[in-house]
Amino acid sequence: MDQIIVQKSDWKDEFWENPWEKGGLAVIGLFITTVLLLILFAIVFGWLQRIEDNSYEED
């Protein structure tokens, strides 16, 4: 049973020692963040456009 715990710990340590794995995680994180920000901007500017369209119709 101790060997299984040691092997899992070794795998986690090896993962973080490899710079390519860290770089891959950074790229994936930046990609996900960029997509979420683009979606957020699309929602915000979509709402702003609707508000501006409604204000012109009232005049």
Side-chain angles (χ1 to χ4, degrees):
M1 189 68 175
D2 290 335
Q3 289 179 340
I4 294 172
I5 294 171
V6 171
Q7 287 175 352
K8 283 186 178 183
S9 178
D10 289 343
W11 180 81
K12 288 179 183 178
D13 292 339
E14 288 175 12
F15 181 82
W16 290 110
E17 289 174 3
N18 187 352
W20 286 101
E21 300 292 341
K22 291 179 186 176
L25 286 176
V27 168
I28 291 168
L30 286 172
F31 177 75
I32 291 171
T33 303
T34 302
V35 169
L36 292 175
L37 282 174
L38 288 174
I39 292 170
L40 179 67
F41 284 137
I43 291 170
V44 168
F45 288 116
W47 281 340
L48 288 177
Q49 179 125 12
R50 288 183 191 159
I51 292 171
E52 289 177 1
D53 290 344
N54 290 338
S55 66
Y56 288 126
E57 291 174 4
E58 292 174 0
D59 290 341

